[in-house]
Amino acid sequence: MLVNKPNNEKVLKIFSAIRCLSRDQLPRYMEGRLTDVERHLVEQHLTDCDLCYDALTALEQEENTERYQDLTNKLQRYVQNSIQPVSHVQKVAQYTRKEKNKEHMLAYFWIIAFIGLGVGSVYVLRGHMRNQPPVRIMASSLPQKDSVREEVATGVPLVTAAENNPGTTTPAPAATPAIQTSAKPATAPVHPDSAALKKAAALKVLHKTAAADCIKKHTLLQKQADSLKKEAADKVTAKAEEKKPEQRPEQKPAAPKEKQKEQAPPPDPPKRETPSTAVNSDEYLYKAAMVYQQQGNLNEAINRYKRIESVSSGKYVEMARYQLAICYRSKGQAGKARRMFKEVIRMDGSMKAAAQQALDGM
Amino acid sequence: MQQQLTNLSDKELISRARKQLDREAESVLIDRYSHLLVAVTIPHLSSQPNLDPNIVFPALLQRLNASLKTQTIYKANEWILHIQKGYLGKPEKNTPFYPSRDGRDLLHIENTVDKAATNIIDRQDLIVRLEQALQRLSADDNALITQFYLENKSFADLTAATGLPREKLRTQLKAAKAKLAKLFMNQGYAS
């Protein structure tokens, strides 16, 4: 058994795969310069491998040996020259392709980045522009402001007057006369006045107060527009209720004359020059009171009417009294209402008939 | 890279050349067999003077390159010899290379032996089966194989002992081995 064992292991040799003869082994085998073990391995392989055996038999013929060396070297050189450069070329091509791709990607990246930057800047600029205009107007409001004020002055001058009377701001009353004068280019020279106005505005009115004025004027103009609308609506309703259509057209020419005579409360000098503006102010106050009355704020309305009664003159006093009477009546103060109606009757104005009617109806 | 590739087996080089289109692996493989290819082709070149080695070898390499991508190659030496014979025998016809049944049997046994080298149990089993197959072989073949493989006798010794030329001795050995392989493969059915 022990003796047999090496033999047993050797059985496997029959079927063990052996590599082909190398370039070095082949001539050495032919010359018998191999060790026993190596030779045995080569011979084992030669039994299986036709290629190696054919090569061996071919080389054993004398004349082939020289050619063999020469051709083998040539073929090896050929293989190395033909195949390796190709692979090298391939590698170079791959590398260059990669680099090109990288460059392309970089170019795309920059294009996209610039587009994004452009879009972003446009967006930001638009946002800036949207926010800019009010700032610009505020910045340039110093020269432009007089035009706004002109509108105010020509349209309803007493708005500013009314604003100035209760208002505590000192620069505004100083500015208003100049504006009002500049509003009349026919009567007064324009250039010095506008220059004076600019100077006054530049000196006295600071940026913040100017902005505040702008806002105030905007709101006032809005209020005015609202009240005008409401007035129109009121007129319609009042006419329907009280059936006095000709009352106002009759009184409007009369009012300025009275105003010129009385002209008591407002200290503004230009009011004499513009009597219609006083009428307008009375009308405005009256309408404001009417608004309160319509809103149901009777106490405030009564206060306003009382002020009109005490301050203004002409038909507005009568109308204010009449409205006062109506306010009292709607408040349930029949005695006061009756007294007011009687006063209206005693004034013997255009509201007399209506007052009489109301008194009779009570 | 070249140095690392030369250490790889034929199988690995072929798979690299095929799957990864690694031309370096292909070149290493061709380089490994180039001297044998030259040696095998020289008799043809000398016998047929119209053949120019500057044309024959590049054409051969081209054929090898083409068939490397398409053919199943079990043994590189058999494949190269087949291509070379095909080219020199019938240059116009490109016959594909198919290993014979015997060749595949031999390859299978070689692979099992190779695997059993690291597994003692498998190896013992394989040894027993090979011994059994060897016993079934005819006495002449058995004696030849025993002398050549187990007793490490060289061709020279055997030719001297038997009086046969080397060529014949080799064919006999080859045939005996093929018989042994067949017996080994058919053992399962016989016993």
Side-chain angles (χ1 to χ4, degrees):
Chain A
M1 212 39 198
L2 280 170
V3 183
N4 278 348
K5 194 150 192 195
N7 269 358
N8 284 346
E9 288 283 340
K10 277 184 180 176
V11 171
L12 291 176
K13 262 181 16 181
I14 303 168
F15 291 109
S16 55
I18 297 160
R19 278 195 176 190
C20 283
L21 275 71
S22 68
R23 204 173 308 142
D24 170 50
Q25 274 176 324
L26 199 56
R28 274 169 65 208
Y29 175 74
M30 278 159 49
E31 292 161 19
R33 287 194 285 119
L34 291 173
T35 61
D36 284 351
V37 176
E38 208 176 356
R39 195 188 62 226
H40 182 65
L41 283 172
V42 167
E43 283 178 351
Q44 270 186 45
H45 177 71
L46 282 173
T47 49
D48 294 332
C49 181
D50 291 335
L51 184 69
C52 291
Y53 191 74
D54 285 359
L56 187 69
T57 47
L59 289 181
E60 273 169 355
Q61 297 169 9
E62 262 321 302
E63 74 269 16
N64 291 338
T65 323
E66 285 172 28
R67 229 178 156 189
Y68 160 76
Q69 291 294 343
D70 178 39
L71 281 173
T72 305
N73 289 337
K74 272 189 185 170
L75 183 61
Q76 277 175 354
R77 237 175 291 138
Y78 177 77
V79 166
Q80 290 191 348
N81 289 343
S82 64
I83 290 178
Q84 280 187 349
V86 168
S87 68
H88 184 68
V89 165
Q90 273 182 340
K91 273 180 187 169
V92 167
Q94 272 185 351
Y95 178 75
T96 48
R97 216 178 302 138
K98 264 186 193 171
E99 285 299 304
K100 268 187 184 175
N101 277 348
K102 261 187 201 170
E103 276 176 22
H104 281 307
M105 294 308 285
L106 211 67
Y108 290 144
F109 168 76
W110 280 116
I111 287 166
I112 288 165
F114 276 120
I115 286 169
L117 219 72
V119 168
S121 60
V122 164
Y123 180 77
V124 167
L125 211 70
R126 278 184 64 191
H128 196 62
M129 293 286 278
R130 214 180 298 135
N131 294 334
Q132 194 74 344
V135 177
R136 267 188 200 160
I137 283 173
M138 273 159 69
S140 61
S141 63
L142 287 179
Q144 282 185 353
K145 197 165 52 184
D146 45 10
S147 69
V148 175
R149 285 196 179 178
E150 270 172 21
E151 283 172 28
V152 174
T154 49
V156 191
L158 215 123
V159 171
T160 49
E163 180 198 338
N164 289 337
N165 285 343
T168 52
T169 53
T170 45
T176 41
I179 292 158
Q180 280 174 351
T181 49
S182 74
K184 312 283 179 192
T187 52
V190 184
H191 293 290
D193 270 12
S194 63
L197 161 78
K198 274 178 190 172
K199 270 185 188 173
L203 286 168
K204 290 172 184 175
V205 186
L206 294 168
H207 287 280
K208 286 174 187 177
T209 51
D213 282 355
C214 268
I215 291 158
K216 263 186 196 172
K217 262 154 217 168
H218 272 296
T219 49
L220 278 169
L221 280 168
Q222 277 181 349
K223 266 187 190 173
Q224 206 182 334
D226 286 352
S227 64
L228 278 168
K229 279 177 195 167
K230 275 165 191 167
E231 174 207 0
D234 288 346
K235 270 181 186 171
V236 173
T237 49
K239 278 169 191 171
E241 282 176 5
E242 299 159 17
K243 294 171 184 174
K244 284 184 181 174
E246 318 94 315
Q247 177 190 349
R248 270 159 227 196
E250 283 177 10
Q251 282 206 343
K252 265 183 184 172
K257 291 169 194 170
E258 288 174 11
K259 231 165 244 175
Q260 277 182 347
K261 289 170 193 169
E262 292 178 9
Q263 200 53 253
D268 297 359
K271 263 201 174 174
R272 271 170 215 155
E273 294 167 10
T274 58
S276 65
T277 55
V279 176
N280 283 343
S281 73
D282 280 354
E283 196 182 334
Y284 174 71
L285 286 173
Y286 178 72
K287 274 163 195 163
M290 285 279 271
V291 168
Y292 281 115
Q293 193 185 347
Q294 277 165 359
Q295 282 169 353
N297 195 349
L298 289 173
N299 290 331
E300 182 64 30
I302 287 164
N303 284 340
R304 296 265 172 156
Y305 286 132
K306 275 181 179 170
R307 203 185 300 160
I308 294 165
E309 194 187 351
S310 62
V311 165
S312 60
S313 58
K315 67 162 185 176
Y316 284 104
V317 177
E318 190 189 359
M319 282 163 76
R321 278 182 185 160
Y322 178 76
Q323 292 300 334
L324 259 176
I326 287 169
C327 284
Y328 284 133
R329 190 178 64 182
S330 48
K331 270 182 87 175
Q333 296 171 330
K336 277 184 178 177
R338 233 176 246 127
R339 211 184 310 143
M340 277 296 156
F341 280 131
K342 278 173 187 167
E343 271 186 41
V344 172
I345 292 163
R346 207 188 313 136
M347 281 177 83
D348 203 13
S350 56
M351 301 295 284
K352 187 184 172 183
Q356 189 64 56
Q357 210 177 351
L359 198 61
D360 292 346
M362 278 183 79
Chain B
M1 195 64 195
Q2 186 78 17
Q3 205 58 42
Q4 288 170 352
L5 283 171
T6 46
N7 293 330
L8 293 175
S9 67
D10 293 351
K11 205 176 158 187
E12 184 71 21
L13 287 175
I14 288 165
S15 79
R16 272 182 183 236
R18 199 178 283 172
K19 288 175 187 165
Q20 302 170 19
L21 298 174
D22 188 352
R23 298 213 62 186
E24 276 188 52
E26 195 183 330
S27 82
V28 168
L29 183 72
I30 298 296
D31 189 53
R32 189 176 283 174
Y33 289 97
S34 59
H35 63 287
L36 295 173
L37 189 64
V38 168
V40 165
T41 319
I42 280 174
H44 294 273
L45 290 174
S46 48
S47 65
Q48 298 172 9
N50 59 337
L51 286 176
D52 182 8
N54 291 329
I55 298 167
V56 169
F57 286 111
L60 262 174
L61 289 180
Q62 222 164 10
R63 278 208 178 191
L64 287 170
N65 178 27
S67 73
L68 180 67
K69 285 166 187 162
T70 52
Q71 285 194 347
T72 312
I73 299 162
Y74 295 111
K75 283 187 168 182
N77 49 5
E78 287 178 10
W79 164 65
I80 285 172
L81 189 65
H82 174 85
I83 297 288
Q84 189 260 358
K85 276 185 175 167
Y87 176 72
L88 291 171
K90 299 169 191 170
E92 70 285 350
K93 198 179 171 192
N94 202 349
T95 45
F97 165 65
Y98 294 115
S100 65
R101 168 94 198 252
D102 293 343
R104 270 179 293 161
D105 280 354
L106 211 62
L107 188 75
H108 176 75
I109 297 168
E110 276 177 10
N111 284 343
T112 12
V113 168
D114 197 36
K115 273 182 198 163
T118 52
N119 190 332
I120 292 174
I121 295 168
D122 277 1
R123 199 162 65 218
Q124 291 301 327
D125 179 50
L126 203 63
I127 287 166
V128 169
R129 285 173 63 196
L130 272 174
E131 294 257 295
Q132 285 173 356
L134 207 58
Q135 297 304 316
R136 288 173 171 222
L137 214 60
S138 65
D140 287 350
D141 292 337
N142 193 340
L144 197 62
I145 282 181
T146 313
Q147 280 177 355
F148 184 66
Y149 285 106
L150 306 185
E151 293 169 16
N152 284 1
K153 285 193 174 170
S154 66
F155 282 156
D157 297 340
L158 286 173
T159 47
T162 54
L164 290 167
R166 193 184 67 181
E167 179 93 39
K168 196 141 198 187
L169 182 73
R170 180 178 169 265
T171 39
Q172 270 192 3
L173 263 173
K174 207 177 175 182
K177 195 178 173 180
K179 278 178 199 164
L180 183 64
K182 204 170 237 174
L183 279 170
F184 180 82
M185 289 303 287
N186 296 339
Q187 238 171 9
Y189 310 110
S191 58

